[in-house]
């Protein structure tokens, strides 16, 4: 089976309590990662450009600087025993520059693969796993050739960057392609892109896998519902046949082995109407769709991540209860805060962000339930998320 090129991952046998984990990125994922690490007795440093960012509120110190500031990353590295990151748009070269002074168990090959959609698709396909049909797009002529090969409808995505639907556009026909072409000139060239065939899926799903570089464990496959290209709700576990769940676990283990994964990796999937699994994207870190694990599993995705990068024991997670997780965006804050006192079954998580902004993830709510489908309907029936209905 293909694997990544050899590199010195900088793994350590076991980071003892009192050691320091440095996190590049101070958003909600970094916050929950830091909270998990604190339970184990580790200290936390954070690099983020926003003073008093969510992760810094629960950390021992913050380096306030941009993510590509090499001097700041070196300062974080100098004060840490292990470095990790909460999102994939990290300067891999900056991390490489500090591997002489700090352990980076995830390495940087994982980052480089997942930062580029072409590299990511090749890696997935090289491990015998299906993706949507795709073509690399370089320039207008390359776009037209790719459209001829893939056909309509298709999705044009920037090769790097982009999240929650940013940096992508669905092309339904020739008029959409020509509209893209008309926006291209010498001052506004078409960025490097990838064109993907449209997948007629039954639903979207994801699976998490965690590892220590050699030993890997998986969480259940879950069903995801998106609204306006932002994850709205996760139902755990997904209602799929045992064969589909086994296939999801198998592909997750293959990818983890190929990466020699340390930490947590999220794999976003399409489940087709004939029960095929098509991998859409990878995220080399804990993921929004895994937040349910905090209440619903024997070990959550953040515990698994910090154990994986610090050399701690990594047990197979068990789902203790089915659950529903729903995101709280800026426009949902007031309504959910008003409803929460009447719903003691809600586990409400607030990310501590200073500004409430529309479509910004401000928190999430998890509900343990014997019937995730019924609970999902009950949550939507509160009206807290009614702004999402009917939006394009």
């Amino acid at each position: 089976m293909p694997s990544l090129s050899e590199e010195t991952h900088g793994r350590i046998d076991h980071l003892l309590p009192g050691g320091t984990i440095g996190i590049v990125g101070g958003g909600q994922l970094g916050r929950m990662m830091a909270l998990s690490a604190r339970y184990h007795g580790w200290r936390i440093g954070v690099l983020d450009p926003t003073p008093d960012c969510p992760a810094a509120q629960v950390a021992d110190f913050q380096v306030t600087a941009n993510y590509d500031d090499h001097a700041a990353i070196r300062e974080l590295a100098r004060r840490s025993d292990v470095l990790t990151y909460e999102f994939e748009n990290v300067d891999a070269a900056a991390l490489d520059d500090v591997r002489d002074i700090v352990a980076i168990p995830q390495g940087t090959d994982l980052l480089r693969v997942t930062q580029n959609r072409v590299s990511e698709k090749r890696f997935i396909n090289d491990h015998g796993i299906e993706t949507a049909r795709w073509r690399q797009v370089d320039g207008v002529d390359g776009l037209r050739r790719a459209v001829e090969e893939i056909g309509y409808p298709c999705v044009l995505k920037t090769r790097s960057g982009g999240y929650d639907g940013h940096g992508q556009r669905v092309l339904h026909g020739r008029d959409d392609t020509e509209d893209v072409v008309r926006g291209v000139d010498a001052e506004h060239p078409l960025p490097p892109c990838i064109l993907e065939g449209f997948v007629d899926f039954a639903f979207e799903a994801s699976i998490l896998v965690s590892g220590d570089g050699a030993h890997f464990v998986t969480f259940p496959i879950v069903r995801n519902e998106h609204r306006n290209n932002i994850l709205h709700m996760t139902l755990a576990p997904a209602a799929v046949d045992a064969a589909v769940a086994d296939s999801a676990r198998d592909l997750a283990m293959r990818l983890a082995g190929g990466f020699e994964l340390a930490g947590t990796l999220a794999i976003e999937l399409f489940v087709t109407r004939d029960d095929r699994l098509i991998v859409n994207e990878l995220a080399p870190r804990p993921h929004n769709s895994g937040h349910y694990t905090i209440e619903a599993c024997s070990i959550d995705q953040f515990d698994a991540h910090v154990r994986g990068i610090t050399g701690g024991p990594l047990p197979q997670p068990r789902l203790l209860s089915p659950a529903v997780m729903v995101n709280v965006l800026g426009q949902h804050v007031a309504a959910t805060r008003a409803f929460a006192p009447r719903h003691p079954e809600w586990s409400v998580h607030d990310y501590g962000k200073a500004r409430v902004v529309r479509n910004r993830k401000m928190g999430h709510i998890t509900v343990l339930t014997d019937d995730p489908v019924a609970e999902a309907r009950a949550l939507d029936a509160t009206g807290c998320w009614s702004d999402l209905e009917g939006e394009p």
Side-chain angles (χ1 to χ4, degrees), residues 177 232 310 352 369:
T177 301
H232 167 54
T310 57
T369 174

Side-chain angles (χ1 to χ4, degrees), residues 118-193:
V118 168
S119 299
E120 184 175 84
K121 289 287 192 293
R122 284 177 178 156
F123 188 86
I124 295 165
N125 293 156
D126 284 347
H127 285 77
I129 298 168
E130 186 177 3
T131 61
R133 294 179 63 220
W134 62 274
R135 293 292 183 272
Q136 180 173 321
V137 173
D138 294 294
V140 168
D141 290 341
L143 171 59
R144 289 191 169 121
R145 283 194 302 271
V147 167
E148 287 180 6
E149 294 179 22
I150 297 294
Y152 296 109
C154 51
V155 186
L156 183 66
K157 300 179 180 180
T158 53
R159 209 172 296 171
S160 59
Y163 64 96
D164 289 346
H166 298 287
Q168 58 183 268
R169 177 172 177 174
V170 178
L171 307 181
H172 296 281
R174 189 173 301 278
D175 287 348
D176 289 333
T177 301
E178 293 309 310
D179 188 46
V180 171
V181 171
R182 280 191 293 272
V184 174
D185 56 33
E187 293 185 2
H188 305 91
L190 185 69
C193 290

Side-chain angles (χ1 to χ4, degrees), residues 159-294:
R159 209 172 296 171
S160 59
Y163 64 96
D164 289 346
H166 298 287
Q168 58 183 268
R169 177 172 177 174
V170 178
L171 307 181
H172 296 281
R174 189 173 301 278
D175 287 348
D176 289 333
T177 301
E178 293 309 310
D179 188 46
V180 171
V181 171
R182 280 191 293 272
V184 174
D185 56 33
E187 293 185 2
H188 305 91
L190 185 69
C193 290
I194 185 172
L195 190 76
E196 299 178 9
F198 205 77
V199 177
D200 183 21
F201 57 87
F203 62 90
E204 295 175 86
S206 60
I207 186 169
L208 302 170
V209 57
S210 301
D212 61 7
H215 169 61
F216 313 110
V217 298
T218 58
F219 290 83
I221 182 173
V222 298
R223 177 172 180 143
N224 297 323
E225 296 182 8
H226 290 77
R227 307 275 180 89
N228 306 318
N229 294 310
I230 301 172
L231 180 65
H232 167 54
M233 187 176 287
T234 294
L235 284 71
V240 296
D241 291 341
V244 175
D246 289 344
S247 294
R249 181 180 184 279
D250 176 70
L251 71 83
M253 296 293 277
R254 273 187 278 162
L255 290 173
F259 282 122
E260 298 179 8
L261 178 69
T264 294
L265 171 74
I267 304 165
E268 297 181 47
L269 305 163
F270 296 122
V271 180
T272 67
R273 301 181 196 286
D274 59 354
D275 283 343
R276 287 163 37 238
L277 295 176
I278 297 176
V279 173
N280 182 31
E281 291 184 349
L282 307 178
R285 40 136 178 105
H287 192 257
N288 194 170
S289 68
H291 293 344
Y292 77 94
T293 62
I294 297 172

